[in-house]
Amino acid sequence: MQPLYEGKAKRLYATEDPNVLRMEYKDDATAFNALKKAQFENKGRMNKAITLLIYKMLEAKGVTTHLVGDIDDINLTVKKVSILPLEVIVRNIAAGSFSKRMGVAEGTKFTKPIVEFSYKDDALGDPFINDDYARELGAGSEEDCEYLRQQAKIVNEVLIDFFKQVGLTLVDFKIEFGRLAEDPTKIVLADEISPDTCRLWDIETGAKMDKDRFRQDLGNVMEAYEEVLKRLQENS
Ligand code: TMP
Ligand code: ASP
């Protein structure tokens, strides 16, 4: 069966319901706009399981998502959406591109979360944008941006607490949103939430438990993902 869409880490397939798609999680990993590539056995399985746990928990807290249901090890069913071309990034602690761009030491805590937007365009390298850019690029209206910012802050509060319960600090994360095919006036949380899209540090040891292990060649990438999944499963 041919996918309708193939991204860097997932594939989307049609189902018998035109408003529902099957999302398959791949073992491929990329970093730095796909300059760095690798495959990790079981990454798809772990990211699917972690995303499923997190999305169920977010739904229970009143956050609407595209999740429909679980199929198997690497597949979920999701509502068909049209993804807004915006990556919404929330930062609680300085790391990654923030530290690099601003010259602020990794680990510096912010007084309040930072919410920022990137324009989803690989050819442009997903550039940093603000609400005015989003409006003029047709990526999202001012009201949409305000809604995304508000939802992102809620997701952040819920996730900080969720990860804290399993001994992990939520440093930052990226989320995406989509308009429902069945009702484009509704914007819901879409895509994955996993160690590919979050920075997670072990509260006791400070160890990095996310894709930075791959980006920075720290080794034991899948061991870290497995540990995150194990802790979340034990706590649920
Ligand atoms: P950054 O510090 O590289 O901007 O990343 C911020 C957060 O967003 C971090 O948790 C990793 C995540 N992220 C993605 O999920 N996809 C991406 O393409 C990028 C650049 C970051
Ligand atoms: N996901 C992005 C890429 O492929 C970047 C990253 O997560 O570092 O290249």
Side-chain angles (χ1 to χ4, degrees), residues 155-219:
V155 170
N156 186 43
E157 289 307 312
V158 173
L159 288 185
I160 286 175
D161 182 57
F162 185 65
F163 284 119
K164 196 173 171 189
Q165 288 173 32
V166 297
L168 296 169
T169 300
L170 178 64
V171 175
D172 57 28
F173 62 94
K174 183 265 307 184
I175 48 179
E176 298 187 20
F177 293 87
R179 285 181 205 284
L180 289 181
E182 62 195 15
D183 178 2
T185 64
K186 291 213 174 69
I187 294 178
V188 301
L189 186 66
D191 197 52
E192 69 183 285
I193 299 183
S194 72
D196 269 10
T197 62
C198 301
R199 285 196 174 92
L200 300 165
W201 293 350
D202 186 83
I203 291 176
E204 286 201 348
T205 66
K208 293 179 176 173
M209 307 288 284
D210 56 69
K211 197 165 133 185
D212 270 352
R213 299 204 70 83
F214 169 58
R215 295 190 189 97
Q216 302 173 0
D217 298 316
L218 300 175

Side-chain angles (χ1 to χ4, degrees), residues 46-228:
M46 288 191 274
N47 281 354
K48 186 231 94 171
I50 292 169
T51 299
L52 179 62
L53 269 165
I54 291 178
Y55 267 48
K56 279 187 180 167
M57 185 274 303
L58 285 171
E59 287 276 356
K61 300 271 181 188
V63 177
T64 51
T65 77
H66 70 161
L67 178 68
V68 176
D70 194 10
I71 303 180
D72 60 25
D73 264 15
I74 56 167
N75 288 283
L76 295 174
T77 42
V78 297
K79 287 185 186 153
K80 186 173 181 184
V81 297
S82 148
I83 291 282
L84 301 180
L86 294 170
E87 299 198 334
V88 184
I89 294 167
V90 183
R91 302 179 190 276
N92 298 305
I93 297 175
S97 68
F98 182 92
S99 291
K100 197 170 173 214
R101 209 156 5 106
M102 300 296 136
V104 174
E106 181 179 270
T108 308
K109 289 198 174 75
F110 299 129
T111 57
K112 282 171 142 191
I114 290 177
V115 181
E116 66 185 52
F117 298 118
S118 292
Y119 184 51
K120 253 174 86 75
D121 185 320
D122 283 339
L124 297 174
D126 296 343
F128 189 93
I129 63 167
N130 67 14
D131 298 35
D132 290 337
Y133 280 49
R135 183 191 65 239
E136 297 304 324
L137 293 165
S141 67
E142 286 172 28
E143 295 73 29
D144 292 339
C145 289
E146 205 35 64
Y147 181 69
L148 300 188
R149 192 174 283 109
Q150 177 218 334
Q151 288 295 104
K153 285 181 187 168
I154 294 171
V155 170
N156 186 43
E157 289 307 312
V158 173
L159 288 185
I160 286 175
D161 182 57
F162 185 65
F163 284 119
K164 196 173 171 189
Q165 288 173 32
V166 297
L168 296 169
T169 300
L170 178 64
V171 175
D172 57 28
F173 62 94
K174 183 265 307 184
I175 48 179
E176 298 187 20
F177 293 87
R179 285 181 205 284
L180 289 181
E182 62 195 15
D183 178 2
T185 64
K186 291 213 174 69
I187 294 178
V188 301
L189 186 66
D191 197 52
E192 69 183 285
I193 299 183
S194 72
D196 269 10
T197 62
C198 301
R199 285 196 174 92
L200 300 165
W201 293 350
D202 186 83
I203 291 176
E204 286 201 348
T205 66
K208 293 179 176 173
M209 307 288 284
D210 56 69
K211 197 165 133 185
D212 270 352
R213 299 204 70 83
F214 169 58
R215 295 190 189 97
Q216 302 173 0
D217 298 316
L218 300 175
N220 296 330
V221 182
M222 283 308 102
E223 287 77 358
Y225 283 47
E226 190 83 66
E227 175 66 19
V228 171

